[in-house]
Amino acid sequence: MPGHRTKGFCASAVALVLCAVLAGCGGSGESVGGGKVVLRYTWWGNPDRAERTEQAVALFEKQHPDIRVQTSFSGYDAYKQKLAVQASGGDAPDVMQLDYRQIDQYASGGVLFDLSQQKTVLRTSEIDAGLLDTGRVDGVQYAVPQGRGTETVVYDVKAWKDSGVPLPTQGWTWDDWAEAMRALKERTGKPGATDPGWSEDSFEVWLRGQGKSLYTEDGQLGFTADDLTRWWTFTDKLRREGAVSSAEQTTQVDGTVENTPLGRGTALSDTNWDAPSSGYLAIVASGVALAPMPSNEDGTPGQYFKPSMFLGVGASTSHPKAAAQLIDFLINDDEAAKILGATRGIPVNETIRKETAPLLKDFDRTISDYQASLEGKLKDPPQAPPSGDNALQTTFQRDYDQVSYERMSPREAAENYVTEAKAELRS
Amino acid sequence: MTTTAIPAESQRATPPAPKRRPKREREGAAWVFLSPWVLGAVVLTLLPMAVSLYLSFTDYNLFDPPRWVGLRNYTQMFTEDPRYWRSVVTTLTYVVIAVPLQLALALVVALALKSMKHGKAFYRSAFYAPSLLGASMSIALVWRAVFNDGGTVDNLLGTGGWVNKPGWALLAVALLTVWQFGAPMVIFLAGLQQIPAELYEAAAVDGAGKWRQFLSVTVPMLSPVLFFNLVLQTIQAFQVFTPAFAISAGKGGPADSTLVYTMYLYDRGFVASHMGYASAMAWVLLLVIGIVTVVLFRTSRSWVFYASEGDR
């Protein structure tokens, strides 16, 4: 009967379509052929970090033949956005690299897995208790710090030396720094540094040097429009003098070392975190060195040791154990530590840190020595920033754009920022 | 007379009716073949639209459940957010620059192609190619490099990088769109070829020169096509995103100069995690595009000429 045939045809076609749709939805994180567990591991970073991460992951796969790790990485800005979308869609990766600024929001949003459930696999005894605590929200360990980082002035050694301007020294002040920038500009014709006015991180160092902080303990803004006005007036003046990069150069900064003025060869130094500074080696032919961030005029340092990044597990993962194994490997394995070096900051595992410090080579050694030179001199890190801060980082840069392109005065821009920040932190 | 002619003609044109299957059965088959699209439309378009409309009345940060705030997103947008208005102005500026430039270029090239004797196919493809490539991120990135300082344009014109100058960046974005004039061009070309040659001959006999012929024959005969292209390109221009995103590295900079509407929407949604606000912005955009389209249709009555009107 034709009627029957059509019905059957109908049903099978509908089934087919449904299958296709459902298959499209499922899939992620499932086991594939041969019973292998597939983990998705995502992180941000530069090509140098990518190469070492791939090597470490290959070794992990060799030790765990039943686990396959799919890695993916991008620049920080792109990563931040992509992860937020994945996480909210319930599609967070099995293992993800997280920033200090993300922990609070992700943990309270239910995106992260409670790592204490995998205690047997993931050992944390070798991590400094204070540092480990930074991955804790409301008493639950949602993430494990993966490295320790601090901010630095990274500079083109040869060009700086050739200019005859005295090299930066321990304990230099913001005034010393500004003078050096002016002298570099005068002698080399190039601006001395990236205009630090765009960077919330640099502002934080300057602010902390004066005993203030970005946020108060209850997650409100820790500074006033006056403070920010002073900072932006300071940097804007240097920009007008040509001592730091022009607006056109500064606006291209996007979190990758390639797009900083130093990376593009149009300035002699940059303020950055120490770990990603290894990326400059590939693009600044004559080599780079690290100097401490300038301190306040009375000698108070503003920089601090910060858990450079964390590893967390997606709450929706089907393989929490395998995910915990991967984290354990990345943090506690000797071989992995040798491969990874200091690309994500100095290792957090204390035994490994002591063992590997003398073995570190090249730039890893530079970072390790740099951190050692600051040991005991810095103040305690601030608590993890409130979740609104995520958006404010971008706002900060945008508002400073208005200053450097001379569309707003430092005061107007600072007031703009403070208004927006207050609204962001309230919601 | 015409009213009776139509059914008579259509009857003649109908082939002898085949043996028909029962109506139900035919409907069933139709649904089977339609189902992927119906499903797609419901699951991928209607449902998300409904959700977005709901979200536009909430405060939703992607992580916590949406919180109902009534019209707050809308009032905030119109009364408390200077950057919202900046994005509106930027978008309007963009539309006013890009659409006329693009249509003019498309028409000029179409006219040139029409009068070509040889190699028409080659040039048609060559001019159409950017439209196929241009929407991609990679071309936009090339564009950024070309207009960056130290890029090709900088070297040729010595103007410095356009993409780093607040006064110029939007022009670089617009040029990327203008360059993709292939689609309207092909439509213009088809329209031009529809104009009966006798009209030109008659005009020539009456002593009309090329320019007069263009104004009195080409433009009116082409006006429906021109109108079609105008509506389509305007709607598209309001939604510009990729070129602005790529050229400003996703920031709408420098100094918010390329912060077009959809970029700001993206910024609110995906950077600042205010999905409710972004949804509200999307609905306002939909409404505005709707209004602009209606206005265009209204004004079209006075300048679009349909050949069939001549019969009346």
Side-chain angles (χ1 to χ4, degrees), chain A residues 2-3 5-6 9-10 13-14 17-18 21 77 80-81 83-85 87-88 105-106 108-111 247-254 259 264 390-391 394-395 397-399 401-402 405 407-408 416 420 424 427, chain B residues 21 25 28-29 32-33 35-36 39 43 59-64 67 72 82-83 86 144 148-149 161 163-167 245 249-257 259 264 266-268 270-275:
Chain A
R5 206 185 61 205
T6 315
F9 176 41
C10 258
V14 168
V17 169
L18 281 177
V21 170
D77 280 352
K80 200 167 73 172
Q81 289 165 21
L83 189 64
V85 176
S88 62
Q105 187 169 39
Y106 279 46
S108 50
V111 178
E248 284 81 6
Q249 292 291 333
T250 313
T251 193
Q252 295 182 44
V253 174
D254 59 0
N259 285 332
R264 294 165 60 94
N390 232 331
T394 324
T395 309
Q397 183 175 3
R398 248 193 258 263
D399 280 334
D401 254 9
Q402 304 285 355
Y405 280 105
R407 298 193 156 191
M408 279 186 193
N416 244 11
E420 211 166 318
E424 200 66 54
S427 58
Chain B
R21 292 184 177 185
E25 200 179 312
V32 170
F33 286 112
S35 59
L39 215 72
V43 176
D59 187 5
Y60 177 47
N61 67 4
L62 284 173
F63 296 95
D64 304 317
R67 196 162 48 87
R72 202 189 78 188
R83 285 186 67 212
R86 203 177 303 150
R144 176 175 158 82
N148 208 336
D149 57 347
V163 296
N164 309 320
K165 289 205 174 75
F245 184 87
K251 288 184 291 200
D256 283 350
S257 61
L259 189 77
Y264 188 49
Y266 174 86
D267 175 80
R268 290 294 88 193
F270 294 100
V271 180
S273 300
H274 294 308
M275 283 295 165

